[in-house]
Amino acid sequence: AGNAVLNFEKNRKGVLIMTENIIMLAQGTGETLYMTLASVLFSYLLGLPLGVLVVATGKQGICPHPKLNTALGWAIDIGRSIPFIILLIFLIPLTRAVVGSAIGVKGAILPLVFGTVPFYTRQVEVALAGVNEGKVEAARSMGSGTLGLIFRVYLHEAVPELIRVTTVTAISLIGLTTMAGAVGAGGIGASLVQCLNSRRWGMVGSFVWGLMVLVLIIELISTRIRRKLAHGA
């Protein structure tokens, strides 16, 4: 009877630990996805127009403006040069003022957006710069104005490449969310620190595999969308 009780308690303890681990994995993954998707959305809304503006105001752009282009370039390069962990700390007062807290999932989104927009803007710039100039000139000769050239030529022709750079940005954001989580933002990073402190090495491995699977899923979705667009073109 004593052995049966001991075995029951051991099994119950094992089930409780497994349940706790599953809940932690699910919560960490959910928080990471939330931070990533929210940051990608805001980075897209801010970075896409900025990327278009950089290309349009360049020397070979559709509306050249050297001073504005130089100022934008400097601002983007300065933003890209700041390490994310420093940006995270530097923006604490602004984050508190905007969202009411500098920690947790909500407190991480603002620094993530600030850290990602310069990177994404440059990615958009590269994607748009790859558009065939012949198509731009053909549309211009047919009477297309600035907005027509931007929407009907640049953005339309660059859709597959824009999907690719958005995917690259999302994957980079997963790494940044993990870093932010390690300093109190929640998500997989916070769960990893908790597991390391309690020496739950099995859970550490589970989180690492979870991150790898998450990246692979994003890559697969992106590849499938681009293939459909290529077949539909």
Side-chain angles (χ1 to χ4, degrees):
N3 288 335
V5 172
L6 287 173
N7 288 333
F8 174 78
E9 288 296 326
K10 187 183 293 184
N11 291 334
R12 190 172 73 90
K13 186 177 180 181
V15 170
L16 289 174
I17 292 174
M18 184 179 294
T19 303
E20 182 184 349
N21 290 342
I22 291 172
I23 292 172
M24 184 186 296
L25 182 61
Q27 181 179 352
T29 303
E31 289 175 348
T32 294
L33 279 173
Y34 175 77
M35 288 188 286
T36 300
L37 292 174
S39 301
V40 165
L41 176 61
F42 285 113
S43 298
Y44 177 84
L45 293 175
L46 296 171
L48 184 64
L50 283 173
V52 170
L53 192 58
V54 170
V55 172
T57 58
K59 290 182 180 180
Q60 307 298 324
I62 54 178
C63 48
H65 196 302
K67 290 183 179 179
L68 178 58
N69 187 267
T70 301
L72 284 171
W74 274 97
I76 292 166
D77 289 340
I78 290 171
R80 289 183 64 191
S81 68
I82 302 173
F84 178 68
I85 192 69
I86 295 176
L87 188 67
L88 196 65
I89 297 169
F90 180 75
L91 289 175
I92 285 176
L94 180 62
T95 305
R96 281 179 178 158
V98 174
V99 300
S101 174
I103 59 174
V105 174
K106 290 183 178 179
I109 291 175
L110 187 65
L112 286 169
V113 172
F114 267 83
T116 306
V117 166
F119 172 79
Y120 186 63
T121 300
R122 284 300 188 201
Q123 295 287 312
V124 170
E125 180 188 359
V126 172
L128 297 180
V131 173
N132 192 318
E133 284 298 323
K135 293 183 178 181
V136 177
E137 291 303 322
R140 196 198 299 267
S141 66
M142 293 172 63
S144 290
T146 301
L147 290 177
L149 291 172
I150 290 172
F151 286 99
R152 295 175 187 172
V153 183
Y154 278 106
L155 293 178
H156 181 266
E157 293 295 325
V159 166
E161 190 64 14
L162 288 173
I163 292 172
R164 186 191 68 80
V165 300
T166 303
T167 303
V168 171
T169 303
I171 292 171
S172 299
L173 265 167
I174 291 175
L176 294 181
T177 59
T178 305
M179 190 187 303
V183 291
I188 288 178
S191 300
L192 272 171
V193 170
Q194 187 178 342
C195 291
L196 286 170
N197 290 336
S198 59
R199 299 188 178 185
R200 284 185 277 181
W201 308 116
M203 278 302 295
V204 171
S206 297
F207 278 115
V208 171
W209 277 105
L211 283 171
M212 292 172 63
V213 169
L214 193 56
V215 169
L216 285 172
I217 289 172
I218 292 173
E219 285 279 12
L220 287 171
I221 292 173
S222 172
T223 301
R224 180 164 293 186
I225 292 173
R226 281 184 286 148
R227 282 178 180 172
K228 284 186 176 181
L229 288 172
H231 289 316

